[in-house]
Amino acid sequence: MNHLTPIMLLQIFRIYMASAKTERNWLVALCDPKLSKAIEVMHSEYQKTWSLDSLAKVAGLSRSGFALNFRKQVGIPPMDYLTNWRIQIDSELLQAGETSISEIANAVGYESESAFSDAFKRIIKFRPGFYRNCFGRASMVSPS
């Protein structure tokens, strides 16, 4: 009984992956051994200065082949995916409120606070400081 839940979850994933021939998302791309290598490094080494060329090398594909396959499988270009992943991490760090915006920008791989702020606003539609003020932990605490 203790192992029933993980076994059921695994079976659900297998059924989904077998029927997801027309789906486009990162989960489907993980079934592709080459794309999964690139996604893995994007997730684990998001702070590195990645380029399309360097990600293609990780995947063992040509630059154009990688870009085409990634977009076909995931639904967005690889660099957009990386930006979205970084912004997700940034959002969590901003909500925690323990790190300055400049430190967050550096930690996630942006060369400047300005570049980080522009990317954050483009994706989230708010500047990082405003986002922190509205959605950070300090704003969630009710006054006593």
Side-chain angles (χ1 to χ4, degrees):
M1 288 302 282
N2 291 339
H3 301 290
L4 184 59
T5 302
I7 291 169
M8 287 177 60
L9 183 60
L10 182 60
Q11 290 301 323
I12 290 168
F13 276 132
R14 285 182 178 159
I15 292 167
Y16 173 76
M17 298 314 290
S19 66
K21 302 287 187 224
T22 59
E23 293 285 327
R24 293 172 11 154
N25 59 49
W26 66 270
L27 187 58
V28 172
L30 289 177
C31 290
D32 182 314
K34 293 183 180 215
L35 292 182
S36 67
K37 290 177 187 176
I39 291 172
E40 181 182 338
V41 298
M42 282 192 245
H43 281 238
S44 64
E45 300 176 37
Y46 53 84
Q47 70 283 1
K48 285 181 76 173
T49 306
W50 290 107
S51 67
L52 193 56
D53 288 330
S54 61
L55 289 169
K57 284 179 186 171
V58 167
L61 296 166
S62 70
R63 183 179 189 270
S64 59
F66 172 68
L68 184 65
N69 285 338
F70 194 96
R71 186 176 189 125
K72 183 180 172 186
Q73 296 286 338
V74 180
I76 60 173
M79 299 314 288
D80 288 355
Y81 180 87
L82 178 60
T83 299
N84 289 338
W85 177 244
R86 286 176 171 165
I87 295 299
Q88 184 174 341
I89 293 165
D90 297 332
S91 298
E92 292 171 9
L93 292 171
L94 286 166
Q95 288 175 7
E98 299 164 1
T99 311
S100 74
I101 292 172
S102 178
E103 290 171 327
I104 292 171
N106 290 330
V108 183
Y110 289 95
E111 292 183 12
S112 70
E113 186 176 339
S114 174
F116 162 63
S117 183
D118 290 345
F120 195 87
K121 186 172 189 309
R122 187 176 67 250
I123 304 294
I124 303 295
K125 309 296 183 218
F126 298 116
R127 292 276 177 209
F130 182 82
Y131 181 88
R132 172 179 271 163
N133 290 338
C134 290
F135 302 106
R137 288 195 183 133
S139 68
M140 308 264 179
V141 178
S142 61
S144 301

